Amino acid sequence: AVRSTEKAESLLHGLRAREELSGPATILRVDLDDLSTIQPFVQEFLALGLPLNYLVNNAGVMTPTEFRGSKQGYETQFATNHLAHFLLTELLMPKL
């Protein structure tokens, strides 16, 4: 899952040019700073029918130097590190 599918596709293309990859790669967009992207991401992921054996909520924002609001107006560190991780986990719980 990535914020920028264009950057991910470019990275994947470069990786495939340097390495022999044996499996498919699926790039799905989610921006944890925008809570409205989480449910569509979960729906796309679930539609793939892949197993979800564990979930690591590792993305985060650390000590911004000035206030910046998320797309929904929450402080960005709180929105990204807490609200988004909670919503993502809550929506994926039936699959875990």
Side-chain angles (χ1 to χ4, degrees):
V2 298
R3 280 182 293 177
S4 170
T5 54
E6 296 81 20
K7 287 181 182 179
E9 287 168 0
S10 175
L11 179 67
L12 184 58
H13 178 73
L15 192 59
R16 284 192 168 134
R18 290 188 309 274
E19 302 290 334
E20 185 177 325
L21 303 179
S22 61
T26 303
I27 298 171
L28 300 177
R29 183 184 181 284
V30 65
D31 181 356
L32 297 180
D33 192 38
D34 182 358
L35 299 176
S36 70
T37 69
I38 295 174
Q39 187 163 10
F41 162 77
V42 169
Q43 290 171 342
E44 285 183 67
F45 174 77
L46 294 175
L48 293 172
L50 298 172
L52 181 61
N53 298 315
Y54 57 91
L55 176 65
V56 177
N57 289 315
N58 190 40
V61 174
M62 195 60 172
T63 58
T65 57
E66 58 187 50
F67 177 86
R68 187 171 74 78
S70 70
K71 300 285 191 287
Q72 287 72 32
Y74 301 106
E75 190 273 327
T76 194
Q77 183 173 347
F78 178 68
T80 302
N81 298 3
H82 301 285
L83 298 177
H85 287 171
F86 173 81
L87 180 59
L88 179 64
T89 301
E90 182 70 16
L91 294 174
L92 288 173
M93 281 303 289
K95 187 73 173 179
L96 284 169

